[in-house]
Amino acid sequence: MVSAGMRAAAIVAAMAIASGAAAADGGVKIGVLSDMDGLYSGTAGPGSVEAARMAIEDFGGQALGKPIELVSASHQNKADVGAAITRGWFERDHVDAIFDLNNSAVALAVANLARAQSKVVVYTGTASSALTNEACAPTTVHYVYDTYALASNSARAVVAGGGKTWFMVAADYAFGKMMTENVSDVVAESGGKMVGTVYHPLDTADFSSFLLQAQSSGADVVALGSATHDMVNAVTQARQFAITPAQKLVAMLVFIQDVHALGLERAQGMTFTTGFYWDRTEATRTWSKRFFERMKTMPSMIHAGTYSAVMHYLQAVSEAGTTDGPTVAETMKRLPIHDFFAENGHIRPDGRMVHDMYVVTVKSPAESKYPWDYYKILATIPADEAFQPLAKSSCPLVKK
């Protein structure tokens, strides 16, 4: 019996094939698999497709002497749908590489297929650090951020500032579970204590019961392991329940679109870790303004990372002279990454692309001087310090 999810996947995949057309024999075909119209679509989705398109255009539109093709589809935040689309892309449609995967449960399902099919998959929108630990594969790359980097840098700073007891409110799927694990470990290592955790369903409108549990815990810190609309709703309702300023509210994953949705009046003072800020350098501004002209929003770190990852993949294909997954993945790991997104990036044996990360705080309305002027960069975390040390990796590809 065919499930509703499988039927939906078949329909979405067919739409992607129709929009992308059949790949030219021997050419390069790239897929962007993302949430195209759900709660995560504003920070990835159509913007990731456009970022990939920009990279293809800037590369010259051709690789190995033939046009580069781009297909896209929505995984609907369902692991079975994402896996079905991926299987069809790999086995029937000859897609060479997939990017984005902005849902950890979907990404973990796709990781198994990438391993079995020896195809390149680059997680530019995924958070779970499991992807470079037990779920790592020879042809997969985790590119932009992960739960370890977000948790370690933000949580250490908060504990050092006096936030000793923590209560976690997190999304009830792979991302929220891994974020909670990473935050708990960092808090404990830093001398703090996790006093409670509660998980909420994905795409929750009413956070009252979860926030009241956090409030009654008396914890110094209420940490949010949620993203996009869920995070925005939780922050808004936390203020309504007067959780702040009595308890410090810390959002572990924040995108610039979230700050835009909250507005500076509500978001001011929020401090968090990010992999990209559009207004950091002249190079980031130049590319981001091009993106804004097309999408009418400044790019999230997923959008910028997708452009960088697609460009790096195409450079590796050109260098290797083939689309063979293992060969291209090995070439990607050998070539350094130096662009507006990552000035000192490289891919480790576990598939983790390490690059500088940034601790930022949100400006007040008075400090903001022009549209999307939202962040002050407090610290730059060097690439070799920002992510889980390779020595701690449980990836079987890492030689101990």
Side-chain angles (χ1 to χ4, degrees):
M1 185 174 182
V2 180
S3 70
M6 293 293 284
R7 287 196 296 271
I11 294 170
V12 174
M15 291 172 62
I17 296 163
S19 66
D25 184 33
V28 179
K29 193 169 186 179
I30 289 171
V32 174
L33 183 58
S34 188
D35 176 0
M36 295 297 177
D37 52 17
L39 79 162
Y40 294 160
S41 60
T43 58
S48 291
V49 177
E50 195 60 37
R53 184 175 292 114
M54 290 171 69
I56 291 169
E57 291 171 2
D58 290 350
F59 193 76
Q62 292 191 340
L64 305 181
K66 296 186 178 181
I68 302 164
E69 297 191 45
L70 177 66
V71 296
S72 62
S74 180
H75 53 54
Q76 303 171 30
N77 291 305
K78 298 176 182 177
D80 62 338
V81 173
I85 293 170
T86 298
R87 189 176 293 108
W89 276 359
F90 285 164
E91 296 178 357
R92 181 185 60 241
D93 306 321
H94 309 294
V95 170
D96 298 299
I98 298 177
F99 297 81
D100 192 340
L101 284 298
N102 67 326
N103 179 295
S104 291
V106 174
L108 289 165
V110 169
N112 294 326
L113 294 170
R115 186 181 300 105
Q117 301 278 351
S118 294
K119 293 279 192 173
V120 172
V121 173
V122 185
Y123 311 110
T124 56
T126 316
S128 176
S129 59
L131 292 163
T132 50
N133 284 287
E134 59 271 18
C136 73
T139 56
T140 60
V141 176
H142 203 168
Y143 207 86
V144 178
Y145 63 98
D146 62 27
T147 50
Y148 182 95
L150 298 175
S152 61
N153 296 303
S154 296
R156 282 194 183 95
V158 173
V159 174
K164 300 297 185 181
T165 56
W166 289 58
F167 189 99
M168 194 84 184
V169 179
D172 191 12
Y173 78 107
F175 156 62
K177 299 294 179 63
M178 185 54 69
M179 180 64 83
T180 299
E181 180 180 326
N182 288 153
V183 170
S184 297
D185 289 346
V186 173
V187 168
E189 290 170 2
S190 303
K193 181 181 180 181
M194 186 69 71
V195 299
T197 302
V198 64
Y199 294 102
H200 65 82
L202 193 64
D203 204 5
T204 296
D206 184 2
F207 278 83
S208 58
S209 64
F210 311 111
L211 292 171
L212 287 172
Q213 290 181 62
Q215 190 174 49
S216 64
S217 74
D220 299 328
V221 180
V222 177
L224 302 177
S226 311
T228 66
H229 295 176
D230 282 341
M231 190 280 294
V232 170
N233 285 339
V235 169
T236 301
Q237 293 171 41
R239 297 191 186 284
Q240 293 171 353
F241 282 108
I243 284 178
T244 58
Q247 294 166 288
K248 186 175 182 63
L249 193 67
V250 177
M252 305 309 300
L253 175 56
V254 181
F255 297 98
I256 197 165
Q257 286 78 12
D258 304 330
V259 175
H260 191 70
L262 283 166
L264 292 182
E265 189 63 43
R266 283 186 293 176
Q268 61 182 310
M270 289 177 63
T271 300
F272 50 89
T273 303
T274 184
F276 177 79
Y277 178 44
W278 77 270
D279 204 15
R280 187 177 65 85
T281 68
E282 189 57 39
T284 60
R285 284 187 285 274
T286 298
W287 184 84
S288 297
K289 288 174 181 177
R290 287 178 57 208
F291 182 89
F292 186 88
E293 289 175 0
R294 298 181 181 219
M295 298 302 297
K296 308 309 176 189
T297 180
M298 282 301 175
S300 70
M301 59 178 163
I302 295 175
H303 298 146
T306 298
Y307 175 97
S308 175
V310 170
M311 184 66 77
H312 187 64
Y313 169 78
L314 292 173
Q315 290 167 345
V317 167
S318 180
E319 175 82 10
T322 180
T323 58
D324 174 68
T327 303
V328 173
E330 194 59 40
T331 306
M332 291 175 72
K333 290 176 182 178
R334 179 168 53 82
L335 296 177
I337 300 162
H338 186 82
D339 58 17
F340 73 91
F341 174 77
E343 295 168 0
N344 300 293
H346 67 274
I347 301 170
R348 302 188 313 198
D350 61 347
R352 177 67 259 171
M353 197 282 268
V354 297
H355 56 92
D356 295 349
M357 296 286 284
Y358 309 97
V359 178
V360 303
T361 190
V362 178
K363 293 181 176 182
S364 68
E367 292 173 312
S368 179
K369 304 303 181 186
Y370 42 85
W372 298 88
D373 175 25
Y374 292 161
Y375 297 172
K376 289 187 291 188
I377 296 178
L378 301 180
T380 297
I381 307 160
D384 59 355
E385 299 176 14
F387 296 91
Q388 175 181 274
L390 196 57
K392 290 186 176 181
S393 176
S394 57
C395 171
L397 301 174
V398 177
K399 296 179 181 178
K400 299 295 186 179

